[in-house]
């Protein structure tokens, strides 16, 4: 991922925070010369069996994911493969009207993280069940409404044979936070204000991130 210097994350915690808040990743592998690249959207969580504290650069962290075993992506995936996980955070269109000058060009503010790592496919059905249960528990805790999975464990067992789970050992991570940093301070403030006043949650989340940027001159 090409990241101009002024769009780099202020510190490593921004990448980890983006991944935690936006855990649906696009997993990509090269694939064969016939098929070409393979990509699958899937949920990703930190491995609860390892430390909960990620290093700022994420290197050495372990992530868990799963996909349908009927997916050709699963059949093409092998232990030892390098995979790219692309996460998308808050993003929003910037209208030239906020620049209050002409000529001007529109743009799109966005946030993203690219994580690379080495895959370990999980063969055990019990370990796969653990991944499914841990994923459900993690997301229910952060995004749900208190659902108790206890009564559904037997149902999980009935479907887990069709699930392919894997670990990823992170080797590198990059974040891009394109939030109007190249603009003068007064323009950045107008962009942020225009986003914060929208009903769309995506715009308001982008405005919130803009408000967290280190202050600098015009």
């Amino acid at each position: 991922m090409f990241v101009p210097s002024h769009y780099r994350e202020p510190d490593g915690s921004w990448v980890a925070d983006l991944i935690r808040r936006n855990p649906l990743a696009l997993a990509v592998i090269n694939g064969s010369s016939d098929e070409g690249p393979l990509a699958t959207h899937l949920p990703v969580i930190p491995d609860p069996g390892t430390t909960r504290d990620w290093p700022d650069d994420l290197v050495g962290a372990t992530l868990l994911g799963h996909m349908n075993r009927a997916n050709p992506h699963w059949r093409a995936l092998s232990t030892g493969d390098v995979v790219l996980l692309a996460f998308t955070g808050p993003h929003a269109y910037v209208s030239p009207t906020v620049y209050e000058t002409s000529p001007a060009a529109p743009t799109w503010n966005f946030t993203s993280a690219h994580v690379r790592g080495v895959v370990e496919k999980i063969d055990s059905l019990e370990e796969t069940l653990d991944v499914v249960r841990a994923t459900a528990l993690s997301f229910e805790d952060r995004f749900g409404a208190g659902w108790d999975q206890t009564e559904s464990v037997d149902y999980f067992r009935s479907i887990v044979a069709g699930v392919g789970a894997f670990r990823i050992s992170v080797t590198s991570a990059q974040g891009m936070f394109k939030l109007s940093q190249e603009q003068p301070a007064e323009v950045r403030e107008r962009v942020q204000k225009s986003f914060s006043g929208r009903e769309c949650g995506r715009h308001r989340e982008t405005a919130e991130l803009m408000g967290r940027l280190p202050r600098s001159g015009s």
Side-chain angles (χ1 to χ4, degrees), residues 77-133:
L77 193 65
S78 299
T79 292
D81 283 352
V82 174
V83 64
L84 168 67
L85 300 175
F87 299 84
T88 301
H91 57 94
Y93 171 73
V94 182
S95 170
T97 57
V98 299
Y99 298 145
E100 297 183 0
T101 186
S102 187
T107 190
W108 204 286
N109 278 1
F110 69 91
T111 58
S112 63
H114 284 191
V115 177
R116 282 181 171 81
V118 178
V119 172
E120 176 195 352
K121 294 179 78 169
I122 295 173
D123 296 322
S124 163
L125 286 181
E126 282 302 313
E127 285 188 81
T128 300
L129 178 62
D130 288 343
V131 171
V132 172
R133 294 194 64 185

Side-chain angles (χ1 to χ4, degrees), residues 5 99 149:
S5 59
Y99 298 145
Q149 66 175 252

Side-chain angles (χ1 to χ4, degrees), residues 54-67:
W54 285 350
D56 281 350
D57 61 5
L58 296 184
V59 174
T62 304
L63 307 177
L64 298 177
H66 65 278
M67 66 175 70

Side-chain angles (χ1 to χ4, degrees), residues 1 11 21 27 90 105 108 133 147 164 188 218:
M1 178 167 60
D11 62 69
R21 293 188 181 199
W108 204 286
R133 294 194 64 185
W147 172 68
R188 293 198 300 271
S218 58

Side-chain angles (χ1 to χ4, degrees), residues 16 35 75 90 94 102 117 124 129-130 137 154-155 175 193-194 206:
E35 292 180 311
R75 295 195 297 273
V94 182
S102 187
S124 163
L129 178 62
D130 288 343
L137 182 64
D154 286 342
Y155 174 67
K193 185 176 180 180
S194 73
T206 306

